[in-house]
Amino acid sequence: MNNVLLMCMLSFAIAQNDTKRDLRQDDWLEDGSERSQRRESMVIWRLTEDLDLSSEQAEKFFPRFREHRENLKEIGKDERKSLMEIRFKIREDEEISKSEMEKTIKKVAELRKDRIDIETKFILGMEDILDPNQMVKLSVFKQRLMKEMQGEVREEMRGKKGKKGKKKHNKRKDRRQSRRGF
Protein backbone atom coordinates (compact mmCIF):
# COMPACT_ATOMS: atom_id res chain seq x y z
CA MET A 1 0.00 0.00 0.00
CA ASN A 2 2.79 2.41 0.93
CA ASN A 3 4.56 1.76 -2.37
CA VAL A 4 1.38 2.39 -4.37
CA LEU A 5 0.75 5.67 -2.55
CA LEU A 6 4.38 6.68 -2.99
CA MET A 7 4.25 5.94 -6.72
CA CYS A 8 1.02 7.92 -7.12
CA MET A 9 2.40 10.90 -5.23
CA LEU A 10 5.66 10.88 -7.16
CA SER A 11 3.74 10.66 -10.43
CA PHE A 12 1.69 13.66 -9.41
CA ALA A 13 4.77 15.67 -8.40
CA ILE A 14 6.65 14.86 -11.60
CA ALA A 15 3.71 15.85 -13.75
CA GLN A 16 3.24 19.10 -11.89
CA ASN A 17 6.90 20.13 -12.29
CA ASP A 18 7.88 18.79 -15.71
CA THR A 19 6.41 21.18 -18.27
CA LYS A 20 7.76 19.31 -21.27
CA ARG A 21 5.90 16.24 -20.17
CA ASP A 22 2.71 18.31 -19.84
CA LEU A 23 2.88 19.08 -23.55
CA ARG A 24 3.09 15.40 -24.46
CA GLN A 25 -0.36 14.90 -22.91
CA ASP A 26 1.06 13.33 -19.74
CA ASP A 27 1.34 9.60 -20.35
CA TRP A 28 0.53 9.11 -16.66
CA LEU A 29 -2.92 10.61 -17.28
CA GLU A 30 -3.79 8.45 -20.25
CA ASP A 31 -6.63 6.05 -19.54
CA GLY A 32 -4.74 3.02 -20.79
CA SER A 33 -1.54 3.46 -18.79
CA GLU A 34 -0.75 0.89 -16.13
CA ARG A 35 -0.02 3.60 -13.57
CA SER A 36 -3.36 5.27 -14.23
CA GLN A 37 -5.19 1.97 -13.83
CA ARG A 38 -3.42 1.25 -10.53
CA ARG A 39 -4.23 4.73 -9.25
CA GLU A 40 -7.86 4.32 -10.30
CA SER A 41 -8.09 0.96 -8.52
CA MET A 42 -6.59 2.43 -5.37
CA VAL A 43 -9.03 5.36 -5.41
CA ILE A 44 -11.99 3.03 -5.91
CA TRP A 45 -10.83 0.80 -3.08
CA ARG A 46 -10.28 3.76 -0.75
CA LEU A 47 -13.61 5.37 -1.62
CA THR A 48 -15.45 2.11 -1.04
CA GLU A 49 -13.72 1.70 2.30
CA ASP A 50 -13.87 5.34 3.49
CA LEU A 51 -17.50 5.83 2.50
CA ASP A 52 -18.44 2.33 3.68
CA LEU A 53 -20.39 1.77 0.46
CA SER A 54 -22.77 -1.12 0.18
CA SER A 55 -22.64 -3.10 -3.05
CA GLU A 56 -25.91 -1.44 -4.17
CA GLN A 57 -24.47 2.01 -3.48
CA ALA A 58 -21.19 1.21 -5.23
CA GLU A 59 -23.07 -0.04 -8.28
CA LYS A 60 -24.78 3.35 -8.66
CA PHE A 61 -21.98 5.55 -7.34
CA PHE A 62 -18.96 4.56 -9.46
CA PRO A 63 -20.43 5.16 -12.93
CA ARG A 64 -21.28 8.72 -11.86
CA PHE A 65 -17.89 9.06 -10.21
CA ARG A 66 -16.06 8.07 -13.41
CA GLU A 67 -18.11 10.54 -15.44
CA HIS A 68 -17.33 13.22 -12.86
CA ARG A 69 -13.60 12.47 -13.07
CA GLU A 70 -13.71 12.76 -16.87
CA ASN A 71 -15.28 16.21 -16.56
CA LEU A 72 -12.58 17.29 -14.12
CA LYS A 73 -9.89 15.84 -16.38
CA GLU A 74 -11.06 18.05 -19.26
CA ILE A 75 -10.95 21.15 -17.08
CA GLY A 76 -7.45 20.19 -15.93
CA LYS A 77 -6.27 19.84 -19.52
CA ASP A 78 -7.65 23.27 -20.39
CA GLU A 79 -6.02 24.81 -17.33
CA ARG A 80 -2.62 23.25 -18.08
CA LYS A 81 -2.81 24.34 -21.70
CA SER A 82 -3.48 27.95 -20.70
CA LEU A 83 -0.65 27.97 -18.20
CA MET A 84 1.80 26.20 -20.52
CA GLU A 85 1.56 28.91 -23.15
CA ILE A 86 2.64 31.52 -20.59
CA ARG A 87 5.30 29.26 -19.07
CA PHE A 88 7.00 28.78 -22.43
CA LYS A 89 7.03 32.49 -23.09
CA ILE A 90 8.57 33.10 -19.67
CA ARG A 91 11.10 30.33 -20.18
CA GLU A 92 12.10 31.79 -23.56
CA ASP A 93 12.37 35.27 -21.97
CA GLU A 94 9.59 36.61 -24.20
CA GLU A 95 7.80 39.74 -23.10
CA ILE A 96 4.25 39.09 -21.93
CA SER A 97 1.75 41.88 -22.35
CA LYS A 98 -0.45 42.99 -19.50
CA SER A 99 -3.57 42.03 -21.46
CA GLU A 100 -2.18 38.56 -22.18
CA MET A 101 -1.36 38.08 -18.50
CA GLU A 102 -4.84 39.24 -17.44
CA LYS A 103 -6.51 37.03 -20.03
CA THR A 104 -4.62 33.96 -18.80
CA ILE A 105 -5.31 34.68 -15.13
CA LYS A 106 -9.01 35.22 -15.80
CA LYS A 107 -9.27 32.06 -17.88
CA VAL A 108 -7.54 29.92 -15.24
CA ALA A 109 -9.68 31.48 -12.49
CA GLU A 110 -12.83 30.71 -14.50
CA LEU A 111 -11.73 27.12 -15.01
CA ARG A 112 -11.08 26.76 -11.28
CA LYS A 113 -14.55 28.16 -10.54
CA ASP A 114 -15.98 25.64 -13.00
CA ARG A 115 -14.12 22.87 -11.16
CA ILE A 116 -15.63 23.95 -7.84
CA ASP A 117 -19.11 24.12 -9.36
CA ILE A 118 -18.73 20.64 -10.84
CA GLU A 119 -17.47 19.25 -7.52
CA THR A 120 -20.36 20.85 -5.64
CA LYS A 121 -23.00 19.59 -8.07
CA PHE A 122 -21.50 16.11 -8.01
CA ILE A 123 -21.44 15.81 -4.23
CA LEU A 124 -24.90 17.32 -3.73
CA GLY A 125 -26.21 15.15 -6.56
CA MET A 126 -25.27 12.03 -4.61
CA GLU A 127 -28.16 12.45 -2.16
CA ASP A 128 -30.08 9.64 -3.89
CA ILE A 129 -27.18 7.23 -3.27
CA LEU A 130 -25.27 8.45 -0.19
CA ASP A 131 -26.40 9.48 3.26
CA PRO A 132 -25.33 12.92 4.59
CA ASN A 133 -22.33 11.50 6.49
CA GLN A 134 -21.07 9.76 3.37
CA MET A 135 -21.52 12.97 1.36
CA VAL A 136 -19.36 14.89 3.84
CA LYS A 137 -16.69 12.17 3.71
CA LEU A 138 -16.80 12.33 -0.09
CA SER A 139 -16.35 16.11 -0.03
CA VAL A 140 -13.05 15.83 1.88
CA PHE A 141 -11.83 12.56 0.36
CA LYS A 142 -9.41 14.04 -2.16
CA GLN A 143 -7.77 16.38 0.36
CA ARG A 144 -7.41 13.57 2.91
CA LEU A 145 -5.93 11.20 0.35
CA MET A 146 -3.44 13.78 -0.91
CA LYS A 147 -2.42 14.71 2.64
CA GLU A 148 -1.86 11.04 3.52
CA MET A 149 0.18 10.50 0.37
CA GLN A 150 2.31 13.57 1.08
CA GLY A 151 2.94 12.36 4.62
CA GLU A 152 4.00 8.95 3.36
CA VAL A 153 6.36 10.50 0.82
CA ARG A 154 7.86 12.69 3.55
CA GLU A 155 8.36 9.66 5.79
CA GLU A 156 9.94 7.77 2.91
CA MET A 157 12.28 10.68 2.21
CA ARG A 158 13.22 10.99 5.88
CA GLY A 159 14.15 7.32 5.89
CA LYS A 160 16.38 7.78 2.85
CA LYS A 161 18.03 10.90 4.31
CA GLY A 162 18.89 9.02 7.47
CA LYS A 163 20.59 6.29 5.46
CA LYS A 164 22.61 8.55 3.17
CA GLY A 165 22.97 11.66 5.31
CA LYS A 166 22.38 13.95 2.34
CA LYS A 167 19.72 16.59 1.91
CA LYS A 168 18.09 15.77 -1.39
CA HIS A 169 15.14 18.05 -0.66
CA ASN A 170 17.26 21.20 -1.03
CA LYS A 171 18.67 20.03 -4.37
CA ARG A 172 15.19 19.31 -5.61
CA LYS A 173 13.96 22.71 -4.40
CA ASP A 174 16.82 24.43 -6.23
CA ARG A 175 16.02 22.47 -9.39
CA ARG A 176 12.33 23.45 -9.17
CA GLN A 177 13.20 27.09 -8.67
CA SER A 178 15.54 27.08 -11.67
CA ARG A 179 12.79 25.53 -13.84
CA ARG A 180 10.40 28.25 -12.79
CA GLY A 181 12.89 30.97 -13.53
CA PHE A 182 13.33 32.18 -9.93
Side-chain angles (χ1 to χ4, degrees):
M1 176 66 183
N2 289 341
N3 290 337
V4 172
L5 289 174
L6 178 62
M7 288 173 50
C8 290
M9 188 60 194
L10 290 175
S11 298
F12 179 76
I14 290 167
Q16 290 294 320
N17 292 323
D18 190 350
T19 57
K20 290 179 185 174
R21 198 164 179 202
D22 281 343
L23 284 180
R24 288 189 283 130
Q25 296 297 313
D26 291 334
D27 18 303
W28 69 276
L29 284 177
E30 290 178 11
D31 291 335
S33 77
E34 182 181 330
R35 187 176 289 156
S36 178
Q37 290 173 352
R38 282 192 309 229
R39 187 176 58 246
E40 183 77 15
S41 296
M42 184 195 65
V43 168
I44 288 170
W45 171 74
R46 286 292 306 268
L47 272 169
T48 303
E49 184 179 275
D50 288 4
L51 300 180
D52 194 27
L53 295 175
S54 69
S55 52
E56 295 82 26
Q57 285 177 309
E59 206 173 280
K60 295 175 185 175
F61 175 79
F62 286 110
R64 285 196 213 172
F65 178 71
R66 285 185 184 96
E67 181 181 336
H68 169 68
R69 295 225 349 198
E70 284 301 314
N71 292 336
L72 293 179
K73 188 175 171 182
E74 289 303 313
I75 289 175
K77 284 180 183 178
D78 292 344
E79 187 177 339
R80 278 191 303 279
K81 182 180 176 189
S82 295
L83 292 172
M84 288 307 298
E85 293 168 3
I86 293 294
R87 283 183 187 165
F88 279 127
K89 287 184 177 188
I90 290 170
R91 188 172 282 165
E92 299 298 321
D93 291 329
E94 290 182 32
E95 193 65 32
I96 299 169
S97 69
K98 183 177 179 181
S99 64
E100 188 176 17
M101 175 268 309
E102 288 175 353
K103 179 182 162 189
T104 301
I105 290 173
K106 286 178 182 177
K107 183 173 183 172
V108 169
E110 192 62 39
L111 289 167
R112 290 179 180 171
K113 287 178 189 176
D114 290 346
R115 180 186 306 271
I116 291 169
D117 289 343
I118 288 171
E119 289 278 354
T120 303
K121 286 177 187 174
F122 172 70
I123 293 167
L124 294 177
M126 289 288 113
E127 67 184 346
D128 62 324
I129 299 172
L130 305 176
D131 66 40
N133 288 344
Q134 289 172 314
M135 291 170 69
V136 170
K137 288 177 184 178
L138 176 61
S139 70
V140 297
F141 174 78
K142 183 177 178 182
Q143 292 83 3
R144 280 188 43 228
L145 183 63
M146 292 303 292
K147 189 173 182 177
E148 288 175 20
M149 289 169 42
Q150 288 172 346
E152 289 182 19
V153 168
R154 280 191 201 109
E155 288 300 316
E156 187 76 22
M157 295 307 291
R158 284 184 190 141
K160 288 181 180 180
K161 282 183 189 177
K163 291 177 184 175
K164 294 184 180 181
K166 296 181 181 179
K167 293 184 177 181
K168 290 184 180 182
H169 177 70
N170 291 338
K171 290 179 184 178
R172 214 172 326 154
K173 182 178 176 184
D174 293 342
R175 213 172 23 246
R176 282 193 308 257
Q177 287 176 342
S178 68
R179 282 189 200 139
R180 293 180 185 148
F182 295 110

